Amino acid sequence: MGLAMIRKDGQRIWVEVSISVLKDQYYEVDEVAIWTFQEVTERYRLQQQLEHAAMYDLLTELPNRRALEKYMEEVLRQAKQWGFSVIVGLIDLDRFKSVNDTFGHEAGDLVLKEFARRVQAMLSATEFLARWGGDEFVVVFQWETNPIDLKDIEKRLHLLHQSVESPMEMEADHFITVDMSMGLACYPHHGEDGDQLIRVA
């Protein structure tokens, strides 16, 4: 059994607790319980790091494909249960290869991180962004209205384009501009599972 505890100095630690019950050979005395506490803070932190690395992209800190698959399973289950719509967008950064070729991969990494930061900043609590791989990302929108409000979609996509296509400052007085393309697929019209929706998008 693992527990979080606070030491006297205020530091939070993790401990494993085991319990042993003792009796004498004639069972004539009451049971005695011996509690053993072993600090496992470093092991717990390493486990947390490994779990995080398995579900998140190391460069952008966005959820990765594995996390997206789990999210899609859950959100589509809820959509089926409650009757709301889900829109999946597959985003590709245009001219990203030229950034790597011209300025190097370090600049490309900065563009990817800045893109992730900008898009996350404009998403609501019911919207989800994941890195699909390379310069491709997947964004998931939920709409409780049915049919979907097309004007609302256009507004959200316009804001998304604006956030991405404004110049990104790489260093003092040095800016890079990238564009984005995005294909869309809607549940349940274009598919009923995450893989199919992403393929359509």
Side-chain angles (χ1 to χ4, degrees):
M1 179 172 59
L3 293 174
M5 303 185 72
I6 305 297
R7 298 195 321 195
K8 288 184 178 180
D9 60 5
Q11 182 178 347
R12 183 185 181 91
I13 63 172
W14 287 87
V15 298
E16 279 190 352
V17 182
S18 58
I19 306 173
S20 301
V21 178
L22 302 180
K23 293 182 178 181
D24 69 1
Q25 59 179 327
Y26 302 107
Y27 294 89
E28 294 179 351
V29 299
D30 293 335
E31 294 180 350
V32 177
I34 299 178
W35 293 63
T36 304
F37 295 80
Q38 179 182 7
E39 183 178 350
V40 292
T41 303
E42 289 304 316
R43 190 173 74 191
Y44 176 80
R45 287 175 180 167
L46 178 60
Q47 180 181 348
Q48 291 294 98
Q49 291 172 0
L50 292 174
E51 291 176 356
H52 184 273
M55 300 296 287
Y56 287 85
D57 175 59
L58 295 179
L59 176 65
T60 63
E61 289 294 315
L62 291 176
N64 59 18
R65 283 195 183 202
R66 182 178 178 187
L68 176 64
E69 290 171 359
K70 289 182 175 294
Y71 175 80
M72 290 296 294
E73 288 179 4
E74 179 60 20
V75 77
L76 292 177
R77 182 191 66 79
Q78 293 178 9
K80 184 176 182 179
Q81 180 178 358
W82 300 106
F84 61 81
S85 298
V86 176
I87 292 182
V88 177
L90 180 62
I91 300 171
D92 182 78
L93 296 184
D94 301 332
R95 299 190 292 113
F96 179 74
K97 184 177 184 300
S98 65
V99 173
N100 280 333
D101 293 343
T102 305
F103 303 102
H105 290 280
E106 184 175 345
D109 289 347
L110 290 175
V111 168
L112 294 175
K113 290 191 287 187
E114 177 63 10
F115 167 84
R117 185 194 67 78
R118 290 185 182 189
V119 176
Q120 276 191 308
M122 63 151 290
L123 294 181
S124 69
T126 60
E127 297 166 350
F128 185 87
L129 178 68
R131 187 179 182 191
W132 185 246
D135 62 341
E136 292 183 326
F137 298 81
V138 172
V139 61
V140 183
F141 303 95
Q142 298 179 37
W143 261 273
E144 295 183 1
T145 58
N146 202 350
I148 297 172
D149 187 343
L150 294 179
K151 289 184 178 180
D152 195 11
I153 294 178
E154 291 176 358
K155 180 181 177 181
R156 298 298 293 161
L157 297 182
H158 179 68
L159 290 174
L160 182 58
H161 275 273
Q162 279 187 324
S163 68
V164 172
E165 295 175 356
S166 58
M168 301 180 183
E169 186 173 9
M170 295 294 100
E171 55 188 41
D173 299 323
H174 191 173
F175 295 85
I176 292 177
T177 302
V178 296
D179 302 321
M180 57 167 278
S181 302
M182 179 164 61
L184 298 175
C186 179
Y187 167 88
H189 306 294
H190 297 128
E192 296 190 352
D193 63 68
D195 287 340
Q196 187 175 6
L197 291 169
I198 292 171
R199 286 198 302 271
V200 172

